[in-house]
């Protein structure tokens, strides 16, 4: 079965979409089959991969490929259609064998209210019993259809019922951050939010109605595999002093607040697992990724990760090209190390 990793932080602007794209591409380069799930109604991941710039392009896509998005996949459950949820035929990502996209939909948020009601586990649950388990079921059958090894879920920056569901029905989760005050506050907030979501999930897992539903709520307890800190300016290969201060503060909050909160909830991997990463950065940080600067625009233009851009796609010559080639190599090494850590931490048993 595919390993599902949710990339979640309810603070925006921390490069969740960019990280999902780059992480998925690198996993595919390593020979894994990967499904990228765009669960954000803003559809940034879909727009990035398909090169869409405006609403008209999305609308044309939805008209031509009406069944190939996450909202359409969930429609049988959320719109009481007389048919079962089926796997979505994902789009292949150009230029990367083994990488697939489950496109997002700008109207996915319309399902928020109904799912929220269902997840209250109230007396009306009988009529809404299939909803809490439907998202996980859709992702499972879609992953199976594409023989996926990993499913990466790009989530929107909110504390929505959909995010609650997606996080608590994943096997693992990553927390992307950026070195600033708001990311520090977000880590502190997660220390309060996640226990509430965990308590809700425990009730859902033991609810007889949800267990007997057509799409039963899965018995899962996601494990925290680490943070990623990105979008800082380096100087001589290291973050500048101002950025380093926030990086240290984020690492401190993770170690002293988030991890102690997750431990009694059994949302951490065994300590031996983390020790398998000898080069692990402080306090569960899996990678520090500098700002992509001008290369991000090239990446978006060519729908290709920064580390996979060709010299022709970069479009520079001479000394400028040499600088970009060096940066490209650095980013490749950073994401390669990140992927190796993710593979190790999500392996089924120590030493495998």
């Amino acid at each position: 079965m595919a390993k599902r990793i949710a990339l979640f932080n309810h603070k925006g602007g921390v490069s969740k979409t960019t990280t999902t794209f780059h992480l998925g591409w690198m996993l595919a380069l390593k020979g894994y089959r990967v499904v990228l799930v765009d669960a954000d109604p803003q559809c940034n991941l879909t727009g990035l991969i398909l090169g869409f710039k405006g609403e008209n392009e999305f609308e044309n896509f939805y008209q031509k490929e009406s069944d190939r998005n996450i909202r359409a996949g969930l429609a049988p459950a959320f719109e009481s259609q007389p048919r079962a949820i089926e796997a979505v035929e994902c789009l292949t990502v150009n230029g990367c064998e083994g990488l697939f996209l489950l496109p997002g939909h700008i109207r996915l948020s319309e399902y928020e209210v109904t799912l929220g009601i269902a997840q209250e586990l109230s007396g009306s649950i009988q009529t809404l019993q299939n909803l809490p388990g439907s998202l996980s079921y859709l992702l499972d059958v879609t992953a199976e259809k594409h023989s996926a090894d990993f499913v990466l879920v790009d989530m929107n920056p909110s504390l929505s019922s959909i995010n609650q569901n997606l996080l608590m029905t994943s096997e693992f989760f990553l927390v992307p951050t950026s070195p600033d005050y708001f990311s520090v506050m977000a880590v502190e907030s997660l220390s309060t939010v996640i226990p509430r979501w965990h308590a809700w999930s425990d009730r859902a897992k033991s609810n007889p109605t949800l267990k007997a539903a057509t799409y039963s709520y899965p018995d899962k307890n996601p494990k925290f595999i680490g943070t990623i800190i990105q979008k800082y300016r380096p100087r001589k290969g290291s973050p500048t002093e101002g950025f380093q201060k926030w990086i240290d503060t984020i690492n401190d909050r993770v170690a002293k607040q988030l991890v102690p909160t997750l431990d009694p909830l059994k949302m951490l991997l065994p300590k031996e697992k983390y020790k398998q990463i000898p080069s692990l950065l402080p306090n569960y940080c899996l990678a520090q990724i500098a700002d992509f600067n001008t290369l991000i625009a090239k990446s978006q233009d060519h729908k290709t990760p920064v580390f996979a851009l060709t010299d022709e796609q970069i479009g520079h010559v001479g000394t400028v090209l040499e600088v970009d080639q060096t940066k490209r190599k650095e980013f490749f090494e950073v994401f390669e190390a990140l992927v190796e850590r993710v593979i190790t931490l999500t392996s089924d048993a120590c030493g495998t």
Side-chain angles (χ1 to χ4, degrees):
M1 180 175 288
K3 299 167 184 175
R4 192 186 311 163
I5 304 174
L7 286 89
F8 176 64
N9 188 337
H10 56 303
K11 176 196 180 296
V14 294
S15 298
K16 286 189 295 293
T17 297
T18 303
T19 301
T20 303
F21 182 48
H22 281 65
L23 181 59
W25 191 293
M26 182 61 77
L27 279 166
L29 286 183
K30 295 291 182 180
Y32 295 94
R33 293 176 66 83
V34 183
V35 171
L36 305 178
V37 178
D38 190 351
D40 183 350
Q42 296 182 39
C43 298
N44 291 326
L45 181 62
T46 303
L48 171 63
I49 291 174
L50 299 182
F52 292 169
K53 304 295 184 182
E55 291 183 5
N56 289 340
E57 291 174 291
F58 279 100
E59 194 59 38
N60 290 337
F61 171 74
Y62 296 143
Q63 289 178 359
K64 293 178 182 177
E65 303 282 0
S66 59
D67 295 330
R68 302 180 79 177
N69 65 78
I70 190 169
R71 186 179 187 275
L74 293 169
F78 279 83
E79 299 181 18
S80 300
Q81 296 178 357
R83 61 187 180 93
I85 287 177
E86 297 179 351
V88 175
E89 180 66 46
C90 293
L91 305 179
T92 57
V93 177
N94 289 335
C96 190
E97 184 178 355
L99 187 60
F100 306 90
L101 170 69
L102 172 51
H105 198 289
I106 57 178
R107 291 173 56 198
L108 177 63
S109 57
E110 293 176 4
Y111 291 163
E112 281 285 356
V113 174
T114 310
L115 181 62
I117 295 171
Q119 293 185 169
E120 285 300 315
L121 309 179
S122 64
S124 62
I125 195 66
Q126 191 70 38
T127 59
L128 302 171
Q129 62 182 340
N130 284 326
L131 301 191
S134 62
L135 280 84
S136 185
Y137 181 85
L138 174 66
L139 299 191
D140 281 345
V141 295
T142 299
E144 183 178 1
K145 178 181 179 66
H146 295 84
S147 302
D149 301 297
F150 287 91
V151 174
L152 305 184
V153 186
D154 185 26
M155 300 159 65
N156 72 325
S158 76
L159 298 177
S160 66
S161 57
I162 288 179
N163 279 353
Q164 176 184 14
N165 188 294
L166 288 169
L167 180 65
M168 296 312 301
T169 60
S170 294
E171 282 79 28
F172 308 96
F173 68 103
L174 271 167
V175 179
T177 67
S178 55
D180 57 34
Y181 171 81
F182 299 103
S183 279
V184 173
M185 293 299 101
V187 170
E188 294 181 353
S189 175
L190 288 177
S191 302
T192 302
V193 170
I194 291 179
R196 293 204 305 265
W197 285 6
H198 183 273
W200 164 81
S201 186
D202 269 358
R203 294 195 303 272
K205 286 185 286 190
S206 62
N207 184 286
T209 304
L210 295 185
K211 291 171 72 173
T214 302
Y215 313 118
S216 59
Y217 186 80
D219 185 5
K220 294 184 180 181
N221 193 34
K223 307 298 183 184
F224 173 64
I225 57 176
T227 63
I228 299 170
I229 301 177
Q230 52 205 322
K231 297 180 71 173
Y232 64 84
R233 295 190 193 94
R235 181 178 295 155
K236 296 181 179 180
S238 299
T240 60
E241 184 177 345
F243 285 110
Q244 188 63 54
K245 182 190 89 168
W246 290 116
I247 290 171
D248 292 341
T249 305
I250 289 171
N251 287 333
D252 180 73
R253 294 297 191 277
V254 169
K256 294 180 179 178
Q257 286 188 249
L258 183 58
V259 167
T261 297
L262 299 176
D263 192 13
L265 304 178
K266 299 183 179 179
M267 294 181 70
L268 296 177
L269 296 166
K271 291 181 181 179
E272 292 73 20
K273 264 298 189 190
Y274 298 110
K275 290 178 181 177
Q276 285 185 279
I277 312 295
S279 57
L280 188 71
L281 293 165
N283 299 336
Y284 302 86
C285 180
L286 299 185
Q288 291 182 184
I289 304 171
D291 199 310
F292 290 139
N293 293 320
T294 57
L295 287 178
I296 192 61
K298 300 293 184 180
S299 172
Q300 293 168 347
D301 287 343
H302 296 287
K303 299 170 283 186
T304 302
V306 166
F307 59 70
L309 290 168
T310 64
D311 291 351
E312 291 74 20
Q313 289 172 330
I314 291 174
H316 295 148
V317 295
T319 303
V320 177
L321 175 60
E322 291 176 4
V323 170
D324 287 338
Q325 289 171 330
T326 299
K327 291 183 178 297
R328 179 181 62 193
K329 181 175 182 292
E330 291 172 355
F331 286 122
F332 186 94
E333 291 171 349
V334 167
F335 276 97
E336 184 176 42
L338 171 60
V339 160
E340 292 298 337
R341 291 164 184 162
V342 168
I343 292 169
T344 297
L345 291 169
T346 59
S347 63
D348 294 330
C350 293
T352 63

